[in-house]
């Protein structure tokens, strides 16, 4: 009998989407399968939905109700700590496995035992679950899930710092997943998934991950993850402090630049001019970048103390979801 696999699903007041996520798990062929639901909801809707579900043979669903102090970080920690199976997957409540996708991720992990886990190509779906082919192609190209990278083993550091490793839908060794969750920074901001991945890389040393060419996961573009809720200053600070091997320093620098721009945008849009000025004058924002259009705008907004409504305008025009897509961070 094969070893059981666990899927951890953190959720917050989205029972309809959660039901679709669970359906994508139980329709996979792999058994035995354990699904652990960590619920941060303030209502009983999730529990009521789960009680009404018909669970097929070989599948066990465990429900962890809202904790006294609820946060995305703490929910991830308790979910991974609850798992006792050798391998674990994380699935967001608004995402899903592709048909047969989890089976293919498990197969890839089993066929590459030298790797600490496996993940695959993602498909993008809209809020209603309809596939978005053009967005899917752009998404996988952006995150280096294209032909030259597929069906290969990659350094965990490379996969994490390039954001090749998706925010969920991967399969990992449970022991490392638990250690990464337990060592999450106290305040990862809105980038809990990025902080988890960085800790995973730090703890796994020179370990590797396998990227299969199979489509394993579907990433939903869910309305409601608005820019006002994002906070990338903590993850920017965390990435600056983490000990990255010399071979991946350039990737670290590139990632810091993206997080820095996001943090400045967020600080300015909330009227925190002092912090924005400090970030603009940091070594991660070199002088030549300040003379580019975005740098000029940041400098002017900080020193002229432009109202937050004016600061937000360029990002509203360019669509608020742009940075969330660039960093693959779910909120």
């Amino acid at each position: 009998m094969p070893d059981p696999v666990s899927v951890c699903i953190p959720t917050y007041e989205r029972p309809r989407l959660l039901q679709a996520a669970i359906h994508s798990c139980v329709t996979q062929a792999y058994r035995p399968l354990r699904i652990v639901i960590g619920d941060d909801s303030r209502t009983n809707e999730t529990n009521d939905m789960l009680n009404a579900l018909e669970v097929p043979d070989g599948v066990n669903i465990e429900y962890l109700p809202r904790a006294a102090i609820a946060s995305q970080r703490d929910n991830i920690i308790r979910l991974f700590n609850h798992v006792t199976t050798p391998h674990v997957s994380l699935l967001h409540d608004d995402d899903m496995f592709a048909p047969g996708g989890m089976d293919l991720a498990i197969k890839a992990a089993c066929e590459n035992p030298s790797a600490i886990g496996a993940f695959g190509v993602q498909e993008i779906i809209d809020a209603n679950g309809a596939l978005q082919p053009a967005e899917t192609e752009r998404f996988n190209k952006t995150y280096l899930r294209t032909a030259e990278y597929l069906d290969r083993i990659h350094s965990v550091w490379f996969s994490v710092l390039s954001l090749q490793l998706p925010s969920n839908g991967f399969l990992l060794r449970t022991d490392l997943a638990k250690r990464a969750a337990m060592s999450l920074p106290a305040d990862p901001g809105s980038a809990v998934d990025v902080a988890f991945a960085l800790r995973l890389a730090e703890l796994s040393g020179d370990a590797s991950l396998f990227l299969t060419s199979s489509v394993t996961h579907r990433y939903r573009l869910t309305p409601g993850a608005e820019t006002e809720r994002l906070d990338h200053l903590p993850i920017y600070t965390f990435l600056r402090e983490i000990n990255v091997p010399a071979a991946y320093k350039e990737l670290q620098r590139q990632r810091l630049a993206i997080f820095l721009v996001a943090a400045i945008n967020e600080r300015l849009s909330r009227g925190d001019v002092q912090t924005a000025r400090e970030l603009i004058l940091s070594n991660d924002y070199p002088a030549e970048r300040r003379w580019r259009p975005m740098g000029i705008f940041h400098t002017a907004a900080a020193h002229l103390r432009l109202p937050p409504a004016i600061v937000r305008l360029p990002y509203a025009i360019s669509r608020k979801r742009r940075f969330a897509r660039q960093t693959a961070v779910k909120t």
Side-chain angles (χ1 to χ4, degrees), residues 174-212:
T174 299
D175 58 334
L176 281 171
K178 283 188 176 186
R179 290 174 61 199
M182 287 299 296
S183 60
L184 280 169
D187 178 20
S190 58
V192 176
D193 299 323
V194 178
F196 172 82
L198 287 169
R199 281 297 192 215
L200 180 72
E202 190 178 40
L203 291 167
S204 61
D206 61 352
S208 58
L209 289 161
F210 185 80
L211 171 55
T212 174

Side-chain angles (χ1 to χ4, degrees), residues 1-47:
M1 181 177 180
D3 290 328
V5 168
S6 294
V7 179
C8 293
I9 310 180
T11 189
Y12 178 75
E13 298 181 2
R14 295 198 281 203
R16 182 184 64 82
L17 292 176
L18 174 62
Q19 187 170 4
I22 293 172
H23 180 75
S24 78
C25 296
V26 302
T27 51
Q28 305 290 319
Y30 193 88
R31 301 288 186 270
L33 178 64
R34 297 175 183 170
I35 302 173
V36 187
I37 311 295
D39 188 13
D40 276 346
S41 304
R42 298 162 296 181
T43 68
N44 293 322
E45 288 183 315
T46 298
N47 192 30

